[in-house]
Amino acid sequence: MSKRIWECVQLEIKRRKKYLEEHGTNAYSHRPESNPFASKIICGDCNKVFARKGWRSSTGVDRKVWQCSERYKVKGVMGCANRHEEEETLTKAYLMTWNALVENREDFMDQWTEQLQSENLLEGYRAEKFIEYTDGAEPLTEMDTDFMLKTLDHIKVFEDGTLLVVFLDGTEIECKNEEK
């Protein structure tokens, strides 16, 4: 393994440790193949991770929703009052913002080129990867979990329906979810 990659791995370990502490969770990723957004959905109110819940409607329709893990931390007592979010909406937000990144690649090239020169080797490595990933990329039409895990840092959910999608290169793209 090259010294550069080793350095990047050390920086990533530190980054993940800080992320876990900041968002009050003990796992950075948990069974991503069946739960790709685990530890990646963050509350815009209290900064803690959202947890995935399976909800069944009165008509028997199953849905996957995400809500703040602080919401009912004490049984029957409402904690954090932030909204819940449909998994489908989170998937759409990721696809939409990634495609915006690809479409506006030229606007990000200055940022990435600058990051390539960064003293922080992980930042430089990420920039290199994002230049590579977006080079001649076609828009994504469906979720590719492996790719999402390589590009998405987290999605922050706000009470007013705003979703802030934060990529691993540091780019943040906001989208509004109109429906409540």
Side-chain angles (χ1 to χ4, degrees):
M1 185 186 322
S2 77
K3 183 170 172 21
R4 176 174 174 245
I5 293 293
W6 189 86
E7 283 284 333
C8 287
V9 169
Q10 300 315 304
L11 291 165
E12 177 63 9
I13 289 168
K14 278 188 194 142
R15 187 192 74 79
R16 287 186 181 195
K17 186 173 186 273
K18 183 176 173 235
Y19 184 96
L20 296 178
E21 287 166 3
E22 217 175 283
H23 303 301
T25 184
N26 57 9
Y28 185 72
S29 183
H30 183 68
R31 293 202 308 271
E33 57 292 336
S34 61
N35 192 357
F37 287 119
S39 298
K40 292 199 173 297
I41 310 304
I42 304 295
C43 182
D45 283 359
C46 72
N47 209 30
K48 297 298 184 216
V49 293
F50 269 38
R52 185 193 213 189
K53 309 274 181 219
W55 285 1
R56 175 162 283 166
S57 72
S58 53
T59 56
V61 177
D62 286 327
R63 356 192 308 245
K64 297 283 181 242
V65 298
W66 289 78
Q67 74 182 25
C68 183
S69 55
E70 294 290 307
R71 190 170 180 94
Y72 296 110
K73 202 162 195 151
V74 180
K75 195 162 175 56
V77 178
M78 174 92 140
C80 180
N82 198 357
R83 63 188 280 138
H84 65 270
E85 201 55 81
E86 300 276 343
E87 186 160 284
E88 198 181 310
T89 304
L90 297 168
T91 300
K92 281 184 190 156
Y94 170 75
L95 293 173
M96 206 168 78
T97 54
W98 174 259
N99 291 339
L101 195 83
V102 168
E103 201 176 303
N104 301 293
R105 180 177 192 260
E106 289 313 309
D107 300 339
F108 294 100
M109 283 307 287
D110 287 346
Q111 173 192 325
W112 292 330
T113 309
E114 201 175 297
Q115 286 172 323
L116 283 174
Q117 315 307 316
S118 172
E119 298 243 327
N120 180 327
L121 291 178
L122 183 58
E123 207 176 280
Y125 174 79
R126 294 250 198 261
E128 194 180 297
K129 285 298 183 193
F130 272 70
I131 290 169
E132 191 184 299
Y133 296 152
T134 56
D135 187 18
E138 289 297 310
L140 290 177
T141 52
E142 58 187 47
M143 181 60 100
D144 172 342
T145 300
D146 290 340
F147 186 72
M148 183 271 288
L149 293 169
K150 287 194 277 193
T151 54
L152 179 70
D153 188 50
H154 65 274
I155 299 176
K156 201 164 246 200
V157 178
F158 295 92
E159 182 58 41
D160 68 357
T162 302
L163 298 176
L164 182 67
V165 181
V166 182
F167 291 98
L168 284 167
D169 71 328
T171 301
E172 300 185 349
I173 302 177
E174 201 175 88
C175 41
K176 279 280 198 200
N177 178 8
E178 300 307 327
E179 71 226 56
K180 188 73 165 143

